[in-house]
Amino acid sequence: MTNPLVMFLSRRDDLSTDEIAALDALTLNSQDYAAGTAMIRQGDRPTSSILVLEGLAARAHYLADGKRMISALHVPGDYVDLHSLLLDQMDHDVTALTDCRVALTAHPEVRRVTERLPHLGRLLWLATTIDAAMHRAWIVALGRMSPLSHMAHFLCEMYIRLDIVGLAKDYSYRLAITQIDLADMLGLSVVHVNRTLQDLRATGMVSWVGSTVSIKDWDGLRELAQFEDAYLNLNKRAR
Amino acid sequence: MTNPLVMFLSRRDDLSTDEIAALDALTLNSQDYAAGTAMIRQGDRPTSSILVLEGLAARAHYLADGKRMISALHVPGDYVDLHSLLLDQMDHDVTALTDCRVALTAHPEVRRVTERLPHLGRLLWLATTIDAAMHRAWIVALGRMSPLSHMAHFLCEMYIRLDIVGLAKDYSYRLAITQIDLADMLGLSVVHVNRTLQDLRATGMVSWVGSTVSIKDWDGLRELAQFEDAYLNLNKRAR
DNA sequence: CGCTTGCTTGACGACGTTCAAGCTTTGTGG
DNA sequence: CCACAAAGCTTGAACGTCGTCAAGCAAGCG
């Protein structure tokens, strides 16, 4: 299988064979995490960076009263933890929402690559700024969108992100997450997520059976979600 | 006056005199924006990066029905738009909430510095990952905190961020924003922001008169907000 | 087969929005 | 220096959305 990080980056800029080789070298050591287990815990000071190869991982924040909020969902090709190359200490957990296979790369090795190949270094920087742009899109959805539009926005974003790494087909993709997880991403109660999902299904724009999401009316869903993909930086450009 | 970006970065790592000189060189051209004007508009493809020297700037997103959401507030020392060095196209506005003085640096110049001084390049990268960490903290507050705690969290964050660049004293700082702006940051209606502010004042932990915020009980406010400053990466460390 | 986990439904209450109006402060021009 | 306008703050009342509680159902797994 193709390295999903290569797919992720080459969607945004051309990669040289040198750069592709370097990326492949970064993703040699793989490791598995079962659904529900933590890859990184709050307070950790990771010494390697984690790239998702398969499965879904989430950034989970826990509040004093036990409430949980998920601030980001990571799909294959996402460098979950490039941040920790630079940051002190994790202020949240990274959890496997489904069974995951990840690649681990020791920080010094990542740093060496960014210094040897500055253009590739910029692309990894780019990956973290795309993360930030996604965070902002979530902030907007949390603050000013109806639950229905927010849910639609989430499903649009997932479709594009999964499509980039070859995990969507015919407007359809696997999304094996529970309504509990979804509630913690949308900032809603489980009960309300369930009702919102029913409303969304009732529009006929989306079907979500088992763990398969199928978008039946992309244009309708996009409009409902006011989804503009600009923030995902999908254009191939010299960076 | 000291370059606020130097203050921001040297709080996180030691800077060489070379690096400080380079930063000063990046911030030569200053420009003013009056309160309420846009520095960058949605759809722009900026060719220079913007650093806030004085005043407050916000990332403003507008929805189809005219609703506005502010996804980030930028204070002096914040590189508002380092992102645009790498990103395609702005998907939101950057607006001056108060009168602002900013520094403009052409992108090629920024890039040259990051290649010449890799360590400084990493620190600029760090600045963008701190932005991402702040975004995540906002997501958590939006999704799972009460308006009262959210407001408290916001005031805690502002205190720390302003203090770092020398703009706070004795737990007190200027914050010349309207309740409308605040509502668009917290994802609430203006009416509710007003009532929440009254509740917060009633606790006696904060006074906010005119444009001066004074924190009377830092520990109380921190607890109410469940504020942990880890995400701001305040430790000086080799990065 | 039975337990656990996740999904679904209903009833009720709380929290936050909307609408509408009055008040206060700030700034501007006569 | 006052008058007036504009912007922002504050308050009340009514409504609606969403959360909570509680229970039943469906599906997956040991």
Side-chain angles (χ1 to χ4, degrees):
Chain A
M1 197 197 98
T2 327
N3 182 332
L5 176 57
V6 172
M7 297 177 85
F8 179 96
L9 293 179
S10 59
R11 175 69 195 250
R12 275 82 179 195
D13 194 356
D14 289 318
L15 295 174
S16 69
T17 48
D18 239 29
E19 289 171 336
I20 292 176
L23 288 175
D24 285 337
L26 286 181
T27 52
L28 284 179
N29 303 318
S30 78
Q31 185 166 338
D32 291 326
Y33 290 96
T37 58
M39 304 178 182
I40 308 175
R41 289 193 182 283
Q42 183 177 350
D44 283 0
R45 298 175 183 276
T47 55
S48 16
S49 286
I50 294 184
L51 171 72
V52 179
L53 296 174
E54 280 171 36
L56 297 173
R59 297 183 183 276
H61 305 246
Y62 295 90
L63 300 190
D65 54 3
K67 287 201 192 96
R68 179 179 74 153
M69 182 74 191
I70 292 177
S71 63
L73 184 61
H74 287 291
V75 305
D78 284 358
Y79 236 128
V80 173
D81 209 30
L82 207 48
H83 307 72
S84 71
L85 177 62
L86 297 153
L87 301 184
D88 277 349
Q89 202 186 15
M90 295 297 295
D91 66 311
H92 59 273
D93 285 13
V94 175
T95 317
L97 291 189
T98 67
D99 290 345
C100 281
R101 200 162 59 82
V102 306
L104 294 172
T105 318
H107 285 163
E109 208 175 328
V110 179
R111 177 172 304 182
R112 221 174 308 127
V113 169
T114 62
E115 298 198 354
R116 188 167 63 85
L117 300 169
H119 174 251
L120 186 56
R122 275 203 301 281
L123 291 185
L124 293 181
W125 186 358
L126 170 69
T128 62
T129 65
I130 291 178
D131 275 345
M134 291 190 292
H135 290 336
R136 287 192 291 272
W138 282 35
I139 287 174
V140 174
L142 279 163
R144 287 289 183 243
M145 283 187 169
S146 68
L148 188 67
S149 296
H150 191 173
M151 180 98 69
H153 192 279
F154 171 72
L155 294 177
C156 286
E157 183 184 299
M158 281 302 116
Y159 169 63
I160 300 284
R161 291 173 64 190
L162 289 170
D163 188 47
I164 287 171
V165 290
L167 295 173
K169 187 156 57 170
D170 302 332
Y171 289 103
S172 200
Y173 54 94
R174 272 184 58 83
L175 195 69
I177 59 175
T178 68
Q179 293 185 7
I180 300 170
D181 298 331
L182 199 50
D184 288 342
M185 288 189 276
L186 304 186
L188 298 171
S189 67
V190 194
V191 172
H192 203 66
V193 160
N194 185 285
R195 292 184 168 128
T196 304
L197 263 177
Q198 292 179 50
D199 291 348
L200 189 60
R201 282 193 268 248
T203 66
M205 294 191 275
V206 178
S207 90
W208 186 341
V209 185
S211 54
T212 302
V213 174
S214 298
I215 300 175
K216 304 296 183 191
D217 175 4
W218 172 251
D219 290 334
L221 196 67
R222 269 195 52 193
E223 188 178 339
L224 173 59
Q226 295 186 49
F227 181 77
E228 299 289 341
D229 63 16
Y231 71 100
L232 295 172
N233 283 262
L234 301 171
N235 299 318
K236 197 176 264 207
R237 241 194 54 195
R239 317 231 180 203
Chain B
M1 196 197 98
T2 326
N3 183 333
L5 176 57
V6 172
M7 297 177 83
F8 179 95
L9 293 179
S10 60
R11 175 70 196 251
R12 275 84 181 193
D13 195 356
D14 288 317
L15 296 173
S16 69
T17 48
D18 240 30
E19 289 171 336
I20 292 176
L23 288 174
D24 285 337
L26 286 180
T27 52
L28 284 177
N29 303 317
S30 79
Q31 185 166 337
D32 292 326
Y33 290 96
T37 58
M39 304 177 182
I40 309 175
R41 289 193 181 286
Q42 182 177 351
D44 283 0
R45 296 174 184 279
T47 56
S48 14
S49 286
I50 294 183
L51 171 72
V52 179
L53 296 174
E54 282 172 34
L56 296 173
R59 297 185 183 275
H61 305 245
Y62 295 91
L63 300 190
D65 54 3
K67 286 201 193 95
R68 180 180 74 154
M69 182 73 191
I70 292 176
S71 63
L73 184 60
H74 287 290
V75 305
D78 285 358
Y79 236 128
V80 173
D81 208 32
L82 207 49
H83 307 72
S84 71
L85 176 63
L86 297 154
L87 301 183
D88 279 348
Q89 203 186 12
M90 296 295 295
D91 67 311
H92 59 273
D93 287 12
V94 176
T95 315
L97 290 188
T98 68
D99 291 346
C100 280
R101 201 162 61 80
V102 306
L104 293 173
T105 318
H107 284 164
E109 208 174 327
V110 180
R111 177 171 307 182
R112 220 174 310 124
V113 169
T114 63
E115 298 198 355
R116 187 167 63 83
L117 302 169
H119 174 252
L120 185 56
R122 274 202 302 280
L123 290 186
L124 293 180
W125 186 359
L126 170 68
T128 63
T129 64
I130 292 178
D131 276 345
M134 292 191 290
H135 290 335
R136 286 192 292 273
W138 283 36
I139 286 173
V140 175
L142 279 163
R144 288 288 183 243
M145 284 188 168
S146 68
L148 188 68
S149 296
H150 191 175
M151 180 98 67
H153 192 279
F154 171 72
L155 293 177
C156 287
E157 181 184 301
M158 281 302 116
Y159 168 63
I160 299 286
R161 291 173 63 190
L162 289 170
D163 188 47
I164 287 171
V165 290
L167 295 173
K169 189 156 54 171
D170 302 331
Y171 289 103
S172 196
Y173 54 94
R174 272 183 57 81
L175 195 68
I177 60 175
T178 67
Q179 293 186 5
I180 300 171
D181 297 331
L182 199 50
D184 288 341
M185 287 189 277
L186 303 185
L188 298 170
S189 67
V190 193
V191 172
H192 202 65
V193 160
N194 184 285
R195 291 182 171 132
T196 304
L197 264 177
Q198 291 177 50
D199 292 348
L200 189 60
R201 281 193 271 247
T203 66
M205 295 191 273
V206 178
S207 90
W208 186 341
V209 186
S211 54
T212 302
V213 174
S214 298
I215 301 175
K216 305 294 182 192
D217 176 5
W218 172 251
D219 289 335
L221 195 67
R222 268 196 53 194
E223 188 178 341
L224 173 59
Q226 295 186 47
F227 182 78
E228 299 289 341
D229 64 16
Y231 72 100
L232 294 172
N233 284 260
L234 301 172
N235 299 319
K236 197 176 265 208
R237 241 196 55 196
R239 316 229 181 208

